[in-house]
Amino acid sequence: MSLICAIICDIVITFGLVLNLHRSRTGIKRTNQCLNSLVVLTLNTGLLTVILTIVALIAFSVLSPRLLLYIAIELVLPRCYVNSLFATLNSRDYLRDKFNPNSILITIQSETDVRPEPRLRIASLNSGTSTNGLQASSVILGDYSKLP
């Protein structure tokens, strides 16, 4: 009974998502391409779990008294659900790059352990004669705490 409920739930969720994405179509070509990619992704991840559950149900119905093959399939089934979830989450970056190639991903890292104190370095170069006979001297003054 649990396998039948799992099959029904997977089918309802998969085709509900596909129907919702299909209804969200607009007249814009780029949006429709993105929705088509999402429909294909939904079908691939949803139907994989449905097919595996149907195989487990058939193995349970046909081979149950003699062979416990369905238990091996049921042990793989939760991993299939988790992999479908990860595939969906990982596909976001691919779809984002595919349909918005000009976007830039900015990652901000903060260091809360130690904050460097600003330093003021003063350096002076000794006066000397350059190659053309002129004297050169300079003083370098600045805050070097922001340098790498």
Side-chain angles (χ1 to χ4, degrees):
M1 189 67 173
S2 67
L3 289 173
I4 294 172
C5 289
I7 292 170
I8 292 171
C9 287
D10 285 344
I11 290 173
V12 167
I13 289 170
T14 300
F15 286 111
L17 281 170
V18 168
L19 185 65
N20 192 16
L21 289 170
H22 186 69
R23 287 183 182 170
S24 299
R25 292 181 188 270
T26 63
I28 303 170
K29 181 181 176 183
R30 194 170 185 184
T31 303
N32 288 343
Q33 287 175 345
C34 184
L35 288 174
N36 288 338
S37 296
L38 289 173
V39 166
V40 168
L41 175 71
T42 302
L43 285 174
N44 286 339
T45 56
L47 289 181
L48 178 67
T49 57
V50 169
I51 290 170
L52 195 60
T53 309
I54 289 172
V55 169
L57 180 65
I58 292 171
F60 176 75
S61 300
V62 175
L63 303 173
S64 179
R66 290 173 266 137
L67 187 62
L68 300 176
L69 180 65
Y70 74 94
I71 292 177
I73 297 171
E74 285 196 27
L75 289 175
V76 174
L77 198 56
R79 291 180 182 191
C80 184
Y81 281 111
V82 171
N83 282 333
S84 294
L85 173 70
F86 286 151
T88 304
L89 293 175
N90 287 334
S91 67
R92 293 181 303 168
D93 291 334
Y94 169 75
L95 289 174
R96 187 179 303 125
D97 291 342
K98 181 179 177 182
F99 293 107
N100 193 6
N102 296 329
S103 66
I104 298 172
L105 180 63
I106 298 173
T107 304
I108 299 173
Q109 293 180 343
S110 63
E111 296 179 15
T112 57
D113 295 341
V114 178
R115 184 174 178 194
E117 296 182 21
R119 296 184 303 249
L120 181 67
R121 289 189 184 177
I122 301 175
S124 65
L125 298 174
N126 292 335
S127 299
T129 307
S130 64
T131 58
N132 58 6
L134 299 174
Q135 264 195 336
S137 72
S138 64
V139 175
I140 300 172
L141 189 56
D143 181 11
Y144 291 94
S145 65
K146 294 182 174 113
L147 293 176

